[in-house]
Amino acid sequence: MRGGMLISALAAVSPRCLYQAGLHHGPAPGRKLTLSLDTLRYRWCVRFSQEPADQSVVLGERVVLSCVVFNYTGIVQWTKDGLALGVGEGLRAWPRYRVLRVIDIGQYNLEISHSELSDDSLYECQATEAALRSRRAKLNVPVIPPEDPVVEGSPELLLMAGTQHNLTCVTRGAKPAAHIQWTRDGVLLEGPHQSTEVLPDRKRVTTRSYLPISPVDTDTGRNFTCVATNPAVPLGKRATVMLNVHHPPTVTLSIEPRSVLEGERVTFTCQATANPPIMGYRSVHLHPKLCSGPYTSTQSSVLSIPPKLVLSNNNQLYLKSVSQADAGQYVCKAIVPRIGVGETEVTLTVNGPPIISSDTVQYAVRGERGEIKCYIASTPPPDKIVWAWKENVWEKEKGTLMERYTVEQSKPPSQGGAVLSTLTINNVMESDFHSPYNCTAWNSFGPGTMIITLEET
């Protein structure tokens, strides 16, 4: 009866205890049951009342893994990824680890202070003398902030205008991988692409971001910033690079006044911007009849110099008293060695009577077709052109000519807007070589004239 009562009491404690004690069918035949209930509980009813559970911990924080062993006073140890950490409260090989032992209640909790990435592992509590092992608990160190990002070339990156470049930002050691965005002077940019690389610990990740740009001269001084974020740093970590964009000169050339009368004063202003900067100016005049190139100069503007042009060491040039010979294109050309060249031009208009610039002696072959050319430069354009020779006078839309003679007018591109009036003689005769040919043009400022002689070749 007492044996049956003891078995009933043990059954109320734990069926596993009865099985381990060999009492699930009662005492063995011929054997007297003399063990007390307390003794059986101590010797056979060892079990975990608390086991470690999966946890996540923020990097640097404290974490405690639970382990309470019921009815056990033997050796308890912890393992990390299958490696025993040691016995006792203080674990010498693991200075941040400590067993929080309370023997009366069978507590053997594992405390980890200042958690690190290396703590991200599987942990198990073992009651070695009872051959008991707890469930394996995963300690996850889920969030590691990225290291401070670095932009290649910072703090100041030298680029060439118009040359494609990839801005590169690198941040290392994040878990999970960092995401990188770019801003220019605080404005979010589109178009970057990024790559990731898992570090040897197979936990942390390096992220690289590439922002393709085609820099222009106005990008000098602008700040490009990469912002690396992950859950540990939602506001992000930043790195900035300032651009220094080298570019060829940008040249402007102004003229005041643009259209003048003969004898008036003209001022030219030549300005050029470049990076590196223009060190000085040499402003000049290009006239198609007076000048030839090429022209070069170090970090300055370049032109040819007619006699009346006053060369100045600053950025202004002066024509003291213009004539029609000064009319034409004025080119300002700036050169920065190893960077490039910039140039621009303006046209000076000098108002006055027509200027005729043909050869005074021209040639033809007897019996063939001959031409006498009269080049007329006139601002404003000529109102009237008249040819006169022998008894003949030709004026456009007035009079008639003998059938051997015709007059045509054109504006050849090579003459910069001058009018070309051509007297054509069919079947040149002896008498054609003995008469002077008068080409006269008029505009509102008066006439211009030239006497041309035709000689036989």
Side-chain angles (χ1 to χ4, degrees), residues 19-43:
Y19 184 84
Q20 291 178 330
L23 298 179
H24 49 294
H25 294 301
R31 188 173 177 184
K32 185 177 181 181
L33 183 64
T34 58
L35 295 175
S36 68
L37 179 61
D38 288 341
T39 300
L40 285 172
R41 280 180 177 171
Y42 177 76
R43 292 186 61 184

Side-chain angles (χ1 to χ4, degrees), residues 104-371:
D104 292 347
I105 60 174
Q107 174 185 295
Y108 298 88
N109 295 346
L110 177 64
E111 177 191 61
I112 302 174
S113 59
H114 306 292
S115 59
E116 298 178 356
L117 182 61
S118 60
D119 300 326
D120 191 302
S121 300
L122 290 170
Y123 294 84
E124 183 179 88
C125 181
Q126 298 179 351
T128 56
E129 296 179 14
L132 289 181
R133 293 184 175 184
S134 70
R135 65 178 300 276
R136 289 186 176 182
K138 179 68 170 77
L139 180 61
N140 187 31
V141 184
V143 177
I144 300 172
E147 297 177 7
D148 291 339
V150 175
V151 179
E152 293 182 2
S154 60
E156 183 176 301
L157 181 61
L158 178 62
L159 300 174
M160 285 295 299
T163 301
Q164 289 282 342
H165 182 80
N166 280 333
L167 293 179
T168 304
C169 177
V170 181
T171 183
R172 295 177 170 83
K175 181 187 176 188
H179 176 67
I180 296 177
Q181 291 181 308
W182 289 87
T183 65
R184 180 180 60 197
D185 293 336
V187 178
L188 186 65
L189 298 175
E190 297 182 356
H193 56 278
Q194 67 182 34
S195 63
T196 56
E197 177 187 355
V198 179
L199 296 180
D201 60 20
R202 295 189 292 181
K203 295 182 174 69
R204 296 172 299 154
V205 179
T206 291
T207 301
R208 288 179 172 83
S209 179
Y210 307 94
L211 178 68
I213 63 170
S214 182
V216 296
D217 53 358
T218 54
D219 285 331
T220 293
R222 282 188 163 177
N223 292 312
F224 285 75
T225 300
C226 71
V227 184
T229 60
N230 80 348
V233 281
L235 297 181
K237 292 185 174 183
R238 288 165 168 77
T240 298
V241 65
M242 184 178 71
L243 298 193
N244 182 4
V245 182
H246 280 187
H247 62 88
T250 301
V251 182
T252 59
L253 178 59
S254 62
I255 180 174
E256 184 61 37
R258 184 177 292 273
S259 180
V260 296
L261 297 175
E262 286 189 299
E264 292 185 339
R265 175 189 175 96
V266 176
T267 300
F268 295 87
T269 302
C270 182
Q271 294 180 321
T273 59
N275 187 17
I278 298 292
M279 302 303 295
Y281 291 89
R282 189 185 300 166
S283 300
V284 283
H285 163 217
L286 263 182
H287 190 285
K289 294 295 185 181
L290 298 176
C291 307
S292 61
Y295 304 92
T296 59
S297 177
T298 300
Q299 291 188 321
S300 63
S301 58
V302 182
L303 300 95
S304 65
I305 307 173
K308 292 185 179 180
L309 185 65
V310 178
L311 180 63
S312 173
N313 289 327
N314 59 30
N315 64 332
Q316 289 188 313
L317 296 172
Y318 306 98
L319 284 175
K320 292 180 177 179
S321 179
V322 298
S323 68
Q324 289 199 57
D326 297 316
Q329 287 183 333
Y330 285 73
V331 178
C332 182
K333 184 176 184 180
I335 303 171
V336 178
R338 298 181 300 277
I339 301 299
V341 178
E343 65 177 55
T344 191
E345 64 183 43
V346 294
T347 300
L348 173 64
T349 301
V350 181
N351 292 307
I355 296 176
I356 298 177
S357 57
S358 296
D359 294 330
T360 56
V361 179
Q362 300 184 31
Y363 300 90
V365 177
R366 187 192 304 263
E368 297 186 4
R369 184 174 178 267
E371 292 181 342

Side-chain angles (χ1 to χ4, degrees), residues 366-385:
R366 187 192 304 263
E368 297 186 4
R369 184 174 178 267
E371 292 181 342
I372 303 173
K373 297 182 181 294
C374 181
Y375 291 99
I376 305 163
S378 178
T379 304
D383 301 318
K384 181 172 63 172
I385 299 173

